[in-house]
């Protein structure tokens, strides 16, 4: 009997899910966490930059990217339910060196992630209140995000992320409605709805696909499923609904952001480059739609980035603590001593991310570190896709939970697409 089988067979009995749609909806949670954590400033920049050139014509690209990432996320959740083991522990059965590589990748991301996002959040805050200095604000936001994660209970963390969902997605939809109400050239707006293929190259399309949704957050989804104790096949339909809800919400956010970008930037010659350009968009937005809308945009910007920071601290701490546990070959029976929000290992990695954020902010975020973060982060999804292709096609997985034709097709597509995207990212970085 394999390790995977014995772990699944020895799992303690859990309550069965309540039947019916109302019962399923009441369990949703990890997908809402993923939606709040995976949508950040990069998604806003990608959506608005695409809208600046093509209006609403690239929504099909976002839809395709989110469909592919849903397939990968569903596979992560299904692997945990089918095997009772985490994705990092599963990776060790694919190649003994893989957890070591993943640990290095997650460590690099964690050391730089907090500084980048807290600086972007502080930029939005200082644009809203010019008297607030950026560096102290950045440190305060990073400390607040770490405090939410260090509170130590998953339910409290999940509820906090649900509030972030309500705030940032509700605010962005409100901004989209205000933008639609102010559009004068409805003919041009409707014409921009026609699906467009960028004239540059296939690489541009793949870059846009990779620019929406999460990366490391997708790998962390399995830990949030684990916290919900979804451990039997009866939970698979709820897990799928949960993951689908996540990407449905993200797609609504992308639509709303694209509407704002089309209404404000399309055909004007303006461009958005980086978080600085995104913050600068608040000024023309206020000139066109009023000062209240400018404030609404900056608050939305702040909520989007802060939620991503909180979710990132949590997800990366799970991935790092589980990678360390797997490398040290700590048994699944004592996994909670590492892979738990109450464990000192988990909390140590959160504190490490916080301290690193402060250090990198004070050193000015050296360009070399940012380039390294971009290059390493781009490698997570192809490794994850390849690992899932191996794990979920094994005979020791319950037949009903193995990959079908559609799942394999999505994972193969994700692998090819993200390998190409990673290669381009690395070449551009170095």
């Amino acid at each position: 009997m394999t390790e995977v089988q014995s772990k699944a067979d020895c799992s303690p009995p859990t309550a069965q899910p309540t039947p019916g749609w109302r019962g399923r909806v009441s369990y949703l949670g990890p997908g809402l966490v993923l939606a709040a954590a995976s949508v950040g400033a990069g998604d806003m920049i990608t959506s608005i930059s695409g809208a600046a050139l093509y209006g609403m014509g690239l929504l099909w690209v976002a839809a395709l990217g989110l469909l592919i990432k849903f397939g990968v996320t569903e596979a992560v959740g299904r692997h945990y339910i089918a095997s009772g083991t985490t994705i990092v522990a599963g990776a060790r059965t694919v190649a003994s060196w893989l957890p070591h590589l993943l640990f290095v990748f997650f460590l690099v991301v964690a050391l730089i992630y907090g500084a980048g996002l807290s600086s972007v959040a502080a930029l939005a805050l200082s644009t809203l209140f010019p008297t607030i200095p950026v560096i102290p604000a950045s440190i305060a936001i990073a400390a607040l995000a770490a405090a939410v994660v260090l509170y130590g209970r998953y339910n409290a963390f999940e509820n906090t992320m649900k509030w972030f969902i309500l705030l940032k997605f509700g605010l962005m939809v409100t901004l989209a409605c205000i933008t639609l109400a102010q559009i004068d050239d409805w003919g041009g707006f409707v014409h921009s709805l026609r699906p467009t293929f960028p004239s540059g190259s296939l690489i541009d399309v793949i870059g846009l696909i990779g620019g929406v949704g999460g990366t490391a957050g997708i790998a962390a989804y399995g830990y949030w499923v684990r916290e919900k104790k979804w451990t039997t096949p009866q939970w698979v339909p709820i897990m799928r609904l949960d993951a689908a809800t996540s990407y449905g919400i993200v797609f609504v956010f992308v639509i709303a952001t694209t509407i704002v970008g089309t209404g404000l930037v399309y055909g004007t010659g303006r461009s958005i480059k980086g978080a600085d350009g995104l913050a600068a968009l608040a000024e023309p937005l206020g000139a066109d739609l009023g000062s209240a809308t400018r404030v609404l945009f900056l608050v939305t910007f702040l909520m989007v980035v802060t939620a991503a920071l909180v979710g990132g601290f949590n997800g990366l701490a799970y991935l790092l603590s589980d990678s360390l546990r797997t490398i040290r070959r700590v048994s699944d029976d004592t996994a909670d001593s590492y892979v738990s929000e109450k464990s000192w290992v988990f909390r140590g990695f959160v504190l490490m991310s916080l301290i690193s954020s402060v250090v990198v902010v004070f050193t000015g975020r050296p360009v070399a570190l940012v380039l390294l973060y971009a290059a390493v982060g781009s490698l997570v999804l192809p490794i994850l896709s390849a690992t899932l292709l191996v794990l979920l096609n094994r005979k020791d997985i319950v037949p009903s939970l193995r990959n079908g034709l559609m799942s394999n097709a999505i994972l193969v597509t994700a692998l090819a697409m993200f390998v190409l995207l990673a290669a381009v990212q690395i070449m551009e970085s170095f």
Side-chain angles (χ1 to χ4, degrees):
M1 183 177 291
T2 65
E3 179 184 354
V4 169
Q5 284 176 314
S6 61
K7 177 69 177 78
D9 293 341
C10 295
S11 297
T14 58
Q16 297 301 304
T18 303
W21 281 100
R22 287 188 178 181
R24 292 184 181 184
V25 169
S26 68
Y27 289 110
L28 300 185
L32 300 178
V33 171
L34 179 61
S38 61
V39 173
D43 299 81
M44 295 182 71
I45 293 168
T46 298
S47 300
I48 294 177
S49 296
L53 296 173
Y54 306 103
M56 305 291 290
L58 291 182
L59 279 178
W60 71 271
V61 177
L64 177 61
L66 293 176
L67 177 63
I68 291 172
K69 289 186 176 181
F70 162 76
V72 179
T73 303
E74 186 272 344
V76 170
R78 181 159 43 90
H79 168 262
Y80 176 74
I81 293 174
S83 67
T85 59
T86 63
I87 190 65
V88 175
R92 188 184 69 190
T93 67
V94 175
S96 59
W97 49 266
L98 201 47
H100 296 76
L101 182 63
L102 288 171
F103 180 78
V104 172
F105 284 178
F106 296 140
L107 184 63
V108 171
V109 173
L111 289 174
I112 307 167
Y113 182 87
L117 284 188
S118 61
S119 296
V120 171
L123 176 64
L125 188 62
S126 65
T127 304
L128 191 59
F129 302 104
T131 57
I132 296 178
V134 173
I135 290 181
S138 178
I139 294 171
I141 291 170
L144 177 62
V148 171
V149 178
L150 288 171
Y151 185 70
R153 288 184 289 179
Y154 173 77
N155 287 338
F157 166 72
E158 182 183 287
N159 288 333
T160 300
M161 297 302 277
K162 286 178 179 178
W163 278 109
F164 273 123
I165 282 283
L166 287 174
L167 285 171
K168 72 182 193 179
F169 288 93
L171 291 171
M172 184 53 73
V173 170
T174 300
L175 279 170
C177 293
I178 293 172
T179 303
L180 287 173
Q182 300 294 324
I183 289 178
D184 295 324
D185 183 14
W186 273 100
F189 180 84
V190 173
H191 183 265
S192 76
L193 287 167
R194 180 172 55 88
T196 303
F197 193 94
S199 58
S201 68
L202 180 62
I203 300 298
D204 295 330
V205 173
I206 294 176
L208 288 169
I209 290 174
V212 294
T215 51
I218 294 176
Y221 180 73
Y223 300 96
W224 298 325
V225 167
R226 175 177 175 269
E227 291 290 348
K228 297 290 280 190
K229 296 180 171 54
W230 296 350
T231 57
T232 61
Q234 288 79 7
W235 290 99
V236 171
I238 289 175
M239 182 274 295
R240 286 173 174 158
L241 176 63
D242 182 70
T245 301
S246 172
Y247 287 101
I249 291 173
V250 174
F251 188 52
V252 170
F253 181 89
V254 172
I255 292 173
T257 309
T258 305
I259 289 173
V260 172
T262 302
L264 294 175
V265 187
Y266 182 53
T268 65
R270 299 173 188 159
S271 62
I272 303 298
K273 293 184 179 179
D276 292 345
L278 191 59
L281 182 63
E283 299 308 321
L285 190 148
D288 292 345
L289 302 180
S291 58
T293 306
R294 173 185 177 275
V295 171
L296 187 63
F297 175 80
L298 289 170
V299 171
T300 304
F301 185 16
L302 178 62
M303 290 297 102
V304 166
V305 180
T306 304
L309 182 60
V310 174
F313 275 170
N314 182 280
L316 286 167
Y318 270 121
L319 292 164
L320 283 166
S321 57
D322 193 30
S323 296
L324 183 61
R325 173 188 77 93
T326 304
I327 291 169
R328 299 188 66 181
R329 296 184 178 273
V330 175
S331 69
D332 291 333
D333 294 335
T334 57
D336 282 350
S337 62
Y338 280 74
V339 193
S340 166
E341 289 180 322
K342 294 182 179 180
S343 77
W344 286 108
V345 178
F346 179 95
R347 294 182 175 186
F349 280 121
V350 175
L351 289 173
M352 180 207 71
S353 298
L354 173 60
I355 293 169
S356 173
S357 300
V358 174
V359 171
V360 175
V361 164
F362 271 115
T363 57
R365 296 167 57 204
V367 174
L369 288 178
V370 177
L371 293 177
L372 181 62
Y373 161 71
V376 170
S378 68
L379 294 170
V380 172
L381 284 178
I383 291 175
L384 183 62
S385 301
T387 300
L388 289 167
L389 273 170
V390 175
L391 293 175
L392 288 172
N393 282 293
R394 287 178 169 173
K395 292 183 179 179
D396 55 10
I397 296 294
V398 177
S400 63
L401 298 182
R402 286 181 204 155
N403 276 355
L405 182 62
M406 181 63 71
S407 295
N408 279 325
I410 290 176
L411 288 174
V412 168
T413 301
L415 176 60
M417 184 178 66
F418 293 130
V419 163
L420 180 58
L421 184 59
V424 172
Q425 182 65 64
I426 291 172
M427 286 188 293
E428 289 181 351
S429 298
F430 299 103

